Amino acid sequence: MTSPASVVLVFLDPGFPAGRLADASQPQLMVTDQGATRGDGVFETMLAVGGTVRKLQAHLDRLEGSAEALDLVIPNQDQWRAAIATGVADHRAQHPAPAPAEDELVVKLVVTRGVEGAASPTCWVQVSPVGAAARRQRETGIDVILLDRGYDSGVAERAPWLLMGAKTLSYAVNMAALRHAHKQGADDVIFTSSDGRVLEGPTSTVLLAHLETSDGGARQVKRLITPQLDSGILPGTSQGALFTAAKAAGWELGYGPLEPQDLLDADAVWLISSIRLLAPVNHIDGKEIGTPAIQKQLTSELNELFAGIK
């Protein structure tokens, strides 16, 4: 659990161009704020390494897209950038990293609709340390289970009011899915649609890879695949950035549609997100995935590509 003492809060306030620092150990949100009472709002979570936020533009663009889906008018990107810079600088000044390898921070952007009748949303930046569990799962991998999300893969286009492609504060179902997985002895979840398509994790994007040989075994062909983005999943900023880097490095890329058997047949599967980064999937529903040696090789190569992403 993150202690309030290690959290820095910066509220976006018209009277403070660089954001208004607030005490995380003191109450800051009205109990009537619709983010708390209804989960009515949006958020983004980013990783800062050495004081630099990774994929900042992609996250700001996605925040704007999510806000637009909820008819929320939010501060412009320059205001967010200024508040982020204030929060990251203040946290690093108060809590210097014990070692360069541990100089990682979680930077969360939050927007709520504000209190009932408010003319503008409530917006803040929250900066805190990366948890030990995220670091551990990058190294050791995870076991996951498949869970039915209860929607078919065409629901996003048919029912846009369900906000399937927006990153909203309404995460109760996602957290319930993770608790259910933990009760089953698993670390995480991969959601499937009611018509049998692979979707995403509660807080991550699904990737799988195939390693093949061609030219009589003289050349390796590496193929990286993710579910179709029009199937009601959140477009992953990490997946998008990694695909760009992988393409430049000669990988072949693909976008579903994927079924559970495709995961079981893959040489490697990962859940990827901004904070945990690449978490290798060791087992799905108790079945071993891929070959450990190939998984280790491909994970190492993708981690090297991902490390170069800004």
Side-chain angles (χ1 to χ4, degrees):
M1 181 181 296
T2 301
S3 166
S6 62
V7 175
V8 168
L9 292 180
V10 184
F11 281 83
L12 278 73
D13 188 319
F16 296 80
R20 174 175 58 83
L21 284 163
D23 187 346
S25 67
Q26 298 299 315
Q28 300 292 339
L29 198 66
M30 295 287 291
V31 295
T32 54
D33 191 291
Q34 294 177 83
T37 60
R38 295 178 177 172
D40 193 356
V42 297
F43 76 102
E44 282 291 322
T45 306
M46 309 175 291
L47 180 68
V49 180
T52 300
V53 178
R54 302 182 70 184
K55 303 183 280 90
L56 177 55
Q57 187 62 54
H59 283 285
L60 290 175
D61 289 344
R62 192 169 68 178
L63 184 73
E64 285 189 342
S66 295
E68 184 178 354
L70 271 69
D71 295 319
L72 280 170
V73 178
I74 66 174
N76 63 48
Q77 293 191 2
D78 287 341
Q79 291 172 284
W80 282 108
R81 287 177 182 274
I84 291 165
T86 297
V88 171
D90 192 75
H91 195 288
R92 297 185 80 218
Q94 290 189 48
H95 311 282
E102 297 179 35
D103 193 0
E104 295 184 337
L105 296 172
V106 179
V107 181
K108 190 172 184 178
L109 315 182
V110 184
V111 179
T112 81
R113 200 170 296 276
V115 298
E116 292 280 355
S120 58
T122 303
C123 307
W124 71 90
V125 176
Q126 175 179 314
V127 184
S128 58
V130 171
R135 296 178 186 275
R136 182 177 64 254
Q137 290 181 356
R138 297 174 195 170
E139 300 295 329
T140 63
I142 54 177
D143 293 338
V144 308
I145 59 174
L146 300 177
L147 291 182
D148 188 344
R149 182 176 253 171
Y151 299 101
D152 64 65
S153 58
V155 69
E157 182 177 359
R158 188 175 67 252
W161 54 87
L162 293 178
L163 304 174
M164 299 303 294
K167 195 172 180 70
T168 73
L169 294 176
S170 305
Y171 256 46
V173 170
N174 290 17
M175 298 301 100
L178 286 175
R179 290 193 297 273
H180 178 77
H182 296 162
K183 291 175 184 176
Q184 309 306 311
D187 302 296
D188 214 317
V189 167
I190 293 176
F191 284 125
T192 59
S193 65
S194 59
D195 54 341
R197 299 287 177 85
V198 173
L199 297 175
E200 60 191 342
T203 63
S204 58
T205 304
V206 178
L207 298 177
L208 65 84
H210 289 285
L211 180 62
E212 303 168 0
T213 58
S214 63
D215 300 333
R219 186 170 72 93
Q220 284 189 333
V221 178
K222 292 169 284 191
R223 184 174 295 108
L224 194 60
I225 307 171
T226 197
Q228 286 178 301
L229 297 180
D230 62 358
S231 58
I233 65 175
L234 182 74
T237 61
S238 296
Q239 170 268 315
L242 184 59
F243 263 43
T244 298
K247 183 177 181 179
W251 288 62
E252 295 183 0
L253 308 178
Y255 290 87
L258 298 175
E259 299 178 353
Q261 189 61 44
D262 294 314
L263 300 175
L264 301 178
D265 292 340
D267 289 313
V269 176
W270 303 269
L271 292 185
I272 184 172
S273 57
S274 292
I275 305 303
R276 189 170 55 185
L277 307 180
L278 275 167
V281 175
N282 298 326
H283 298 88
I284 297 177
D285 288 341
K287 299 174 183 176
E288 187 174 19
I289 300 302
T291 304
I294 294 177
Q295 182 201 69
K296 184 176 180 180
Q297 173 197 338
L298 297 180
T299 299
S300 177
E301 291 183 25
L302 291 177
N303 275 329
E304 187 173 345
L305 291 175
F306 204 44
I309 294 170
K310 303 298 184 182

